[in-house]
Amino acid sequence: MEYQKIETVTVGISNTGGETVVVRTIDGTLTVRPGAKLKNQPILPLTEEQVDLYKSKGVKFTGLPKNEPKDEPDISALEKTATDAKAEYLKAQAASQKQGAGEAEKKALQDATDKLTAAEQALSDARQ
């Protein structure tokens, strides 16, 4: 039987509110009574919403890992890349349609087409 490792975070917990709260742990739950100050408690990770709910009840956690904001894609940079790829594609297309165009021009057109497709896909993905 294979076991899945469950991540925990070790925190300090203080309850300055007027009611007892329960915090989830790997073994079940931890009861935190009003006025309690606990140190080095391994608990299951909390979402921001859960932290806010506990905070509204007077419970504070110390030592919680910070939730790093997700890197937002740079839409303007992706738009510029797509615009540049489109210009390169149009240039390669014009060169491939000239009288006497050879394999090099056809290859350049295919490369430009691939680059344009990839740039447009990246921009589309970033906008979703």
Side-chain angles (χ1 to χ4, degrees):
M1 179 182 234
E2 190 172 319
Y3 292 100
Q4 181 181 5
K5 180 174 169 75
I6 299 175
E7 297 293 323
T8 62
V9 291
T10 301
V11 298
I13 307 171
S14 64
N15 185 354
T16 57
E19 63 183 276
T20 300
V21 295
V22 178
V23 180
R24 295 181 327 143
T25 67
I26 198 163
D27 297 325
T29 59
L30 172 67
T31 302
V32 185
R33 300 192 189 291
K37 292 184 180 181
L38 308 172
K39 295 181 181 178
N40 299 324
Q41 298 298 313
I43 64 169
L44 296 178
L46 299 170
T47 64
E48 288 183 43
E49 292 82 16
Q50 289 172 317
V51 172
D52 291 341
L53 178 62
Y54 281 116
K55 186 186 268 186
S56 72
K57 296 180 180 201
V59 179
K60 294 183 184 175
F61 297 91
T62 56
L64 278 176
K66 300 285 183 215
N67 289 337
E68 296 298 321
K70 294 180 180 177
D71 290 337
E72 294 296 322
D74 186 353
I75 300 291
S76 61
L78 291 171
E79 286 172 341
K80 182 178 180 340
T81 301
T83 301
D84 292 347
K86 177 82 170 179
E88 186 179 324
Y89 166 78
L90 293 173
K91 185 178 174 183
Q93 185 181 35
S96 72
Q97 291 175 349
K98 285 185 179 176
Q99 186 83 18
E103 287 301 313
E105 288 80 12
K106 289 180 183 176
K107 171 121 174 64
L109 178 60
Q110 184 59 50
D111 291 346
T113 302
D114 294 345
K115 192 173 187 180
L116 177 58
T117 302
E120 288 175 339
Q121 183 63 46
L123 182 58
S124 175
D125 291 347
R127 285 185 172 154
Q128 291 180 354

